[in-house]
């Protein structure tokens, strides 16, 4: 039971950390240097490389719960890894196939880039925290550009 609770808490906490790190990248010239390049290119690195960066940045935190117990550590670590994988996939999907983000009313990261929203829509995989912290800004995002794109499935994207 503790492993399941730790998994859920880690998954939710990882989404919160991701939201605040993205906001910090927009607020800090030093921390956001690489992120500004991401905005200029407007493309993801590929699911694998995004996942690698997320895990590299959070590896130490994912290991902390092992000091409490093996069961808690496994749940915590798996929750963090699951969110990192989901976020890496969602990030790449929003850059390449935003219409496929069925779990959000509006693909916030896609809109964040498309309309150069420096102060809104910071979520990558989920929009929960944008709603909680008042940074969600809805727009009519389905324009002719998106509507005329040929249909693609959920796996047709850059993985590497």
């Amino acid at each position: 039971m503790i492993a399941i609770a730790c998994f859920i808490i880690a998954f939710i906490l990882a989404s919160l950390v991701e939201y605040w790190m993205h906001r910090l990248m927009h607020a800090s010239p030093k921390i956001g240097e690489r992120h500004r390049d991401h905005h200029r290119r407007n493309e993801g690195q590929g699911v694998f490389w995004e996942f690698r960066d997320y895990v590299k940045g959070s590896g130490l935190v994912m290991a902390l719960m092992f000091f409490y117990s093996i069961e808690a550590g496994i749940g915590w670590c798996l929750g963090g890894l699951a969110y990192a994988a989901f976020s890496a996939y969602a990030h790449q999907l929003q850059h390449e196939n935003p219409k496929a983000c069925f779990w959000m009313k509006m693909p916030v990261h896609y809109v964040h880039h498309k309309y150069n929203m420096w102060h809104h829509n910071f979520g990558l995989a989920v929009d929960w925290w944008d709603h909680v912290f008042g940074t969600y800004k809805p727009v009519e995002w389905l324009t002719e550009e998106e509507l005329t794109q040929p249909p693609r499935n959920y796996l047709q994207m850059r993985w590497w």
Side-chain angles (χ1 to χ4, degrees):
M1 193 58 152
I2 187 121
I4 294 170
C6 285
F7 178 95
I8 293 167
I9 293 167
F11 191 92
I12 293 168
L13 186 61
S15 70
L16 178 63
V17 169
E18 174 191 74
Y19 169 84
W20 280 106
M21 284 305 297
H22 191 191
R23 282 191 75 169
L24 184 60
M25 288 177 195
H26 282 264
S28 168
K30 177 93 171 134
I31 294 171
E33 188 175 336
R34 183 173 171 211
H35 188 66
R36 283 188 298 284
D37 182 54
H38 168 66
H39 269 269
R40 280 190 289 278
R41 288 186 341 269
N42 193 21
E43 64 184 12
Q45 308 176 78
V47 176
F48 175 79
W49 300 113
E50 296 288 340
F51 176 74
R52 180 205 60 178
D53 283 353
Y54 299 159
V55 170
K56 190 168 64 172
S58 61
L60 180 64
V61 175
M62 282 196 278
L64 285 178
M65 287 301 276
F66 283 103
F67 289 108
Y68 180 75
S69 75
I70 295 294
E71 187 179 28
I74 290 170
W76 185 261
C77 189
L78 289 177
L81 288 172
Y83 189 78
F86 174 56
S87 186
Y89 171 79
H91 182 242
Q92 194 68 35
L93 188 67
Q94 288 189 67
H95 279 285
E96 295 186 34
N97 189 9
K99 291 191 296 185
C101 295
F102 65 88
W103 62 92
M104 290 187 276
K105 184 176 181 180
M106 174 185 77
V108 289
H109 188 70
Y110 175 76
V111 167
H112 173 81
H113 276 267
K114 182 177 181 177
Y115 296 104
N116 201 22
M117 294 184 168
W118 214 250
H119 304 288
H120 299 284
N121 299 327
F122 294 104
L124 296 184
V126 296
D127 58 6
W128 311 327
W129 303 113
D130 283 304
H131 288 285
V132 169
F133 295 108
T135 54
Y136 186 83
K137 184 174 184 179
V139 296
E140 290 297 324
W141 68 277
L142 275 172
T143 64
E144 189 68 27
E145 178 185 350
E146 292 83 16
L147 293 171
T148 58
Q149 289 177 347
R152 298 168 60 189
N153 72 39
Y154 297 104
L155 299 177
Q156 287 179 297
M157 69 174 75
R158 185 172 156 201
W159 288 89
W160 310 108

